[in-house]
Amino acid sequence: MTVQEDRDIDRTGFVREWERWHRRKEEVLAGPHGFLAITGLHWLSPEPARFDDAPGAWSSTAEGVVVDLADGEELTLDGTVVRGR
């Protein structure tokens, strides 16, 4: 086994690549759907529940998440306005 000498290590290239990776990671985290966009964390149950920061009554079923929107409430999903259930 040999010890690599300092002159053989590209420290500048490593630092530059790590900084590029770190900037991209921060951009993803700060993006519209990134972790930093989270305003609340609520565990859903089968019983519908309302939350201050979202319209509708939210619940979890065997088929997935359900939201019941009252009159005048709406959500936008993939550019499509959703009303009702």
Side-chain angles (χ1 to χ4, degrees), residues 27-80:
E27 289 169 2
V28 169
L29 291 173
H33 300 290
F35 186 78
L36 297 177
I38 295 174
T39 59
L41 179 61
H42 307 284
W43 296 106
L44 300 179
S45 70
E47 184 65 32
R50 290 191 158 272
F51 306 105
D52 292 336
D53 55 351
W58 296 77
S59 60
S60 179
T61 68
E63 291 79 34
V65 175
V66 173
V67 60
D68 288 309
L69 299 164
D71 289 339
E73 291 182 320
E74 61 184 33
L75 292 171
T76 302
L77 179 65
D78 296 329
T80 302

Side-chain angles (χ1 to χ4, degrees), residues 3-20:
V3 176
Q4 193 172 25
E5 295 183 26
D6 283 351
R7 62 184 161 82
D8 293 337
I9 299 173
D10 180 9
R11 294 173 198 260
T12 304
F14 170 79
V15 169
R16 189 175 26 244
E17 186 61 30
W18 183 88
E19 287 173 342
R20 188 175 314 137

